[in-house]
Amino acid sequence: MGLPRLVCVFLLAACGCCRRVSGVPGEAEQPVPELVEVEVGHTALLRCGPSHSPGNLSHVEWFFIHKERKTLMFRVRQGQGHSEPGEYQHRLSLQDAGATLALTQVTPHDERVFVCQSKRPRLQEHHIQLRVFKAPEEPTIQANAVGIPVGSEELEEVATCVGRNGYPIPQVIWYKNGRPLQEEKNRIHIQSSQIVESSGLYTLQSVLKAQLVKEDKDAQFYCELNYRLPSGNHMKESREVTVPVFYPAEKVWLEVEPVGLLKEGDHVEIRCVSDGNPQPHFSIYKQNSNTKDMEEKSTTENGILILEPAQKQHSGLYECQGLDLETMLSLWSGPQELLVNYVSDVQVSPPAPESQEGDSLTLTCEAESNQDLEFQWLRAKTGQLLEKGPILQLDNLKREAGGGYLCVASVPSVPGLNSTQLVNVAIFGSPWMALKERKVWVKENTVLNLSCEASGYPRPTISWNANGTATEQDPDPQTVLSTLNVLVTPELLGTGAECTAFNSLGKNTTVITLELVTLTTLPPGFNQTTGPSTSAVSPHTRANSTSTEKKLPEPESKGVVIVAVIVCILVLAVLGAALYFFYKKGKMPCGRSGKQEITLPPSRKNEFVVEVKSDKPPEEMGLLQGNNGDKRAPGDQGEKYIDLRR
């Protein structure tokens, strides 16, 4: 190296040292700015350095740095602030005697360096770095609704997470079943992108792609957004989602509802189930009990075999076939036995029992079942329990023992499984009448229904002595209820109606008396427009063929009317006799002047006196003779006073 070149190198090095020592402007290191943090929408307080005294703040200028360029935005002169035209013109104000500049309605665009410059007594600058924060909205997540096949060579999109309007950009973390997911080659990939909104806020979108396995069919995926605020670190989580995972079936099996013991009459559903997704096409087969071959059964669109109602012939071996329509592979379940418990063929012997009064009768009940049976005997009409066991013994039979009996065969081990058989016991006898005599209130020229009921064995026949339309009903095999629709005529009122029941053993009658309704003899419940409230004769008590005829009491209302009339007549007679008695004794002086007071003894001055007036004129009552034998004038009212305390 030559001498001139060495001299140049030495001079350059010396010049650089001199410049660094002498502190040439522009070459000194920049001071570290003060950090101020604030949330979007809040107010940022920018202090003009902690070392400045109030006297040094009389002349201050505030700048902001944008793209390495200082721009004046606020001046302070003699403690008075003035905003410069621009984006901060209406958002700045002084506080703390001019030591603090307040910036309102902070936005993400305000994240920059601000400079406070004081010129007295010397030039001083204070740099402030404003950091702006905004919490993102609650993250939203959208799962892959189409589904992901297991074994795909490419990474499939599992879900997408979106966090809107945050600042700065939040960090996203994906979780599966509560565990964070990390990037893994050919297994997991997280792809994130962000959009800057016009407000300066960020919208983050993160897509999770992965290869899933069969065990992920119930996996719960969610995303988490981590962000920072002046108060510290925070996080927000999305909801959990599952993703359809497709995988072939490895086995199939049968399921039966309801679970447990089945009985005849149940609603039974048999369905095939597999561990694949989607489910393969199912077919259900039942073994033929004769040929032992498996025969396909008809199922619903969902592949369900419905047995309604279930019957004993539905019992047997069932099997399911699952066919994968993509691979055309077939899977079979193992055979499964279905058992429908039953009770059938309940029979009573003798099937039509007949007996005479005073005799004995034995009834035997039998039934078929695949389980142990219990028997009970009930009276059909009342439901009364008569006997437990298959045999019912009836001794010293009477007519009342005739009628229906129920044999109930049940399986105690299968709740609700039972079957019944009704048998009617016939007791030979002449007809019994429900009522021997009945009175019916009627109106002339009206149509009414008269009923007559008779029981006996053989079954009786009923005839009427009146012309009309008769219909019959059979409440039980030994009872007949005949209803006669008849017009009330004067002849029918005179003769009444009579029904006769007869069979090969005798006959019996019921007499129905018809009473004409008048205004003074209205029975209870009688409607003057429609007639008697009940015209049919219904049985309430039985009267056999040897009983005496019963006279039913007259309706209460007619008796009350008659008694009231008799009492009124008696009262009028007593009053008339009393008046006549006082008149004959002369204790009732009556003159033409009208009312006269009856003189009472001193001891009875305070007793009550009742005035009796007659509304009849003297012409109707007759002229009463006074004490002097004079007849009363027509205008005299004949008023009298009677002491009722005697």
Side-chain angles (χ1 to χ4, degrees):
M1 181 180 293
L3 182 61
R5 183 171 295 180
L6 291 175
V7 172
C8 289
V9 171
F10 176 77
L11 291 175
L12 288 173
C15 180
C17 292
C18 294
R19 290 172 60 89
R20 185 164 299 178
V21 173
S22 61
V24 177
E27 298 297 329
E29 294 184 0
Q30 296 292 334
V32 178
E34 177 187 356
L35 184 62
V36 174
E37 296 180 339
V38 65
E39 290 189 47
V40 170
H42 292 194
T43 299
L45 300 179
L46 309 177
R47 295 186 58 84
C48 194
S51 61
H52 293 156
S53 62
N56 295 332
L57 299 177
S58 58
H59 290 76
V60 175
E61 291 180 346
W62 284 90
F63 300 86
F64 69 88
I65 299 177
H66 179 60
K67 295 183 179 180
E68 299 183 356
R69 178 183 175 186
K70 291 173 57 176
T71 302
L72 179 65
M73 65 177 186
F74 198 81
R75 298 174 184 270
V76 180
R77 295 292 183 267
Q78 301 297 329
Q80 299 296 322
H82 303 280
S83 295
E84 294 294 322
E87 58 179 303
Y88 294 107
Q89 183 175 359
H90 303 291
R91 293 195 291 146
L92 299 173
S93 62
L94 285 178
Q95 294 184 5
D96 299 336
T100 301
L101 182 65
L103 172 60
T104 62
Q105 296 297 318
V106 172
T107 70
H109 300 297
D110 297 326
E111 186 171 87
R112 53 185 51 157
V113 175
F114 294 87
V115 179
C116 168
Q117 189 178 80
S118 175
K119 296 183 178 181
R120 296 183 183 180
R122 59 185 178 83
L123 182 63
Q124 294 183 6
E125 287 187 353
H126 182 67
H127 291 243
I128 301 171
Q129 174 65 60
L130 183 61
R131 294 293 184 189
V132 180
F133 300 92
K134 168 70 168 62
E137 299 174 5
E138 294 290 333
T140 60
I141 188 171
Q142 184 66 43
N144 183 342
V146 177
I148 299 176
V150 170
S152 175
E153 295 181 359
E154 297 182 359
L155 297 181
E156 300 287 342
E157 181 177 320
V158 177
T160 301
C161 178
V162 177
R164 302 182 183 277
N165 297 324
Y167 193 89
I169 302 172
Q171 180 187 8
V172 63
I173 300 177
W174 282 94
Y175 290 83
K176 183 180 78 171
N177 297 330
R179 294 184 177 182
L181 297 176
Q182 303 291 336
E183 287 273 353
E184 184 177 345
K185 187 177 181 180
N186 298 328
R187 289 281 297 166
I188 298 174
H189 175 61
I190 300 174
Q191 180 180 343
S192 298
S193 61
Q194 56 272 348
I195 300 174
V196 182
E197 308 291 346
S198 60
S199 61
L201 301 176
Y202 289 103
T203 293
L204 174 67
Q205 177 174 294
S206 179
V207 178
L208 173 64
K209 294 183 177 182
Q211 277 190 343
L212 300 184
V213 295
K214 180 179 178 180
E215 289 71 21
D216 293 327
K217 60 185 178 65
D218 298 320
Q220 300 284 335
F221 295 91
Y222 69 94
C223 64
E224 175 185 283
L225 296 182
N226 292 285
Y227 58 95
R228 185 175 177 279
L229 295 177
S231 57
N233 295 323
H234 300 268
M235 55 85 72
K236 289 184 177 181
E237 294 179 346
S238 71
R239 61 184 177 89
E240 293 181 330
V241 296
T242 58
V243 179
V245 180
F246 301 137
Y247 46 90
E250 297 178 359
K251 62 179 180 178
V252 296
W253 64 92
L254 282 171
E255 288 185 353
V256 179
E257 291 183 0
V259 179
L261 296 175
L262 304 178
K263 63 180 182 296
E264 281 192 317
D266 285 348
H267 177 91
V268 179
E269 293 185 0
I270 304 176
R271 57 168 50 87
C272 292
V273 184
S274 77
D275 60 351
N277 186 35
Q279 296 284 300
H281 175 74
F282 292 120
S283 300
I284 298 178
Y285 295 82
K286 180 180 183 296
Q287 187 182 58
N288 188 306
S289 58
N290 297 323
T291 64
K292 305 303 180 180
D293 294 332
M294 301 301 292
E295 299 176 351
E296 185 175 357
K297 310 300 290 185
S298 177
T299 61
T300 66
E301 294 180 357
N302 298 327
I304 300 175
L305 175 60
I306 298 178
L307 308 177
E308 185 182 16
Q311 299 175 356
K312 64 179 181 180
Q313 57 265 31
H314 290 143
S315 297
L317 289 177
Y318 288 81
E319 200 168 5
C320 173
Q321 179 196 32
L323 178 62
D324 192 325
L325 297 180
E326 290 187 3
T327 63
M328 299 306 294
L329 295 178
S330 179
L331 292 174
W332 287 83
S333 70
Q336 181 172 335
E337 183 175 5
L338 182 74
L339 177 61
V340 179
N341 297 285
Y342 66 92
V343 176
S344 63
D345 298 329
V346 182
Q347 297 180 356
V348 176
S349 58
E354 299 176 348
S355 183
Q356 301 286 344
E357 284 191 273
D359 291 350
S360 297
L361 181 64
T362 301
L363 301 178
T364 304
C365 188
E366 297 177 345
E368 292 184 3
S369 177
N370 62 323
Q371 302 285 352
D372 294 334
L373 288 172
E374 285 187 357
F375 294 92
Q376 289 182 335
W377 287 94
L378 306 176
R379 195 71 161 103
K381 184 179 295 184
T382 62
Q384 177 186 2
L385 177 63
L386 302 177
E387 187 69 47
K388 290 186 176 181
I391 298 176
L392 175 63
Q393 182 67 36
L394 301 175
D395 297 321
N396 192 20
L397 291 172
K398 299 185 181 299
R399 292 193 175 208
E400 291 80 0
Y405 291 81
L406 286 174
C407 171
V408 181
S410 60
V411 177
S413 59
V414 183
L417 178 57
N418 60 72
S419 184
T420 62
Q421 179 62 46
L422 173 67
V423 61
N424 283 287
V425 175
I427 308 297
F428 287 99
S430 59
W432 290 355
M433 308 306 292
L435 291 173
K436 295 294 293 179
E437 184 174 313
R438 181 66 185 269
K439 182 174 291 186
V440 179
W441 296 90
V442 298
K443 294 179 69 176
E444 193 173 352
N445 295 325
T446 60
V447 177
L448 75 156
N449 292 327
L450 300 177
S451 297
C452 180
E453 182 178 332
S455 299
Y457 188 78
R459 179 184 179 277
T461 302
I462 293 179
S463 63
W464 293 85
N465 69 334
N467 293 327
T469 303
T471 57
E472 290 187 354
Q473 297 177 354
D474 296 325
D476 60 63
Q478 302 176 51
T479 303
V480 181
L481 175 62
S482 178
T483 302
L484 180 68
N485 185 268
V486 65
L487 176 66
V488 179
T489 62
E491 293 77 10
L492 186 62
L493 286 170
T495 61
E498 181 177 297
C499 75
T500 302
F502 58 91
N503 63 10
S504 60
L505 300 179
K507 67 177 181 178
N508 212 333
T509 61
T510 292
V511 177
I512 303 175
T513 304
L514 304 180
E515 289 288 341
L516 190 62
V517 175
T518 64
L519 293 177
T520 58
T521 60
L522 290 177
F526 189 90
N527 188 304
Q528 295 189 35
T529 303
T530 61
S533 60
T534 304
S535 60
V537 181
S538 319
H540 297 286
T541 59
R542 289 196 171 271
N544 61 29
S545 59
T546 60
S547 65
T548 59
E549 296 184 358
K550 298 182 180 180
K551 295 286 187 179
L552 296 181
E554 298 285 334
E556 273 190 12
S557 60
K558 182 178 179 182
V560 172
V561 172
I562 294 174
V563 172
V565 172
I566 294 174
V567 171
C568 291
I569 293 173
L570 291 176
V571 170
L572 291 175
V574 171
L575 290 177
L579 290 174
Y580 184 76
F581 174 80
F582 286 124
Y583 170 73
K584 285 295 187 180
K585 291 297 184 178
K587 295 183 179 181
M588 193 172 176
C590 299
R592 300 179 183 272
S593 59
K595 298 181 182 179
Q596 295 187 15
E597 183 176 334
I598 299 176
T599 304
L600 298 175
S603 62
R604 301 177 60 193
K605 284 293 185 180
N606 295 329
E607 295 184 4
F608 294 100
V609 175
V610 177
E611 177 184 355
V612 180
K613 295 184 179 182
S614 174
D615 294 333
K616 295 183 179 181
E619 292 83 353
E620 297 182 16
M621 297 181 59
L623 299 177
L624 299 177
Q625 300 289 334
N627 290 336
N628 53 3
D630 295 336
K631 294 182 179 180
R632 293 183 183 273
D636 196 334
Q637 300 298 317
E639 297 173 354
K640 301 166 284 297
Y641 293 86
I642 301 174
D643 183 9
L644 300 182
R645 297 294 296 272
R646 292 187 179 182

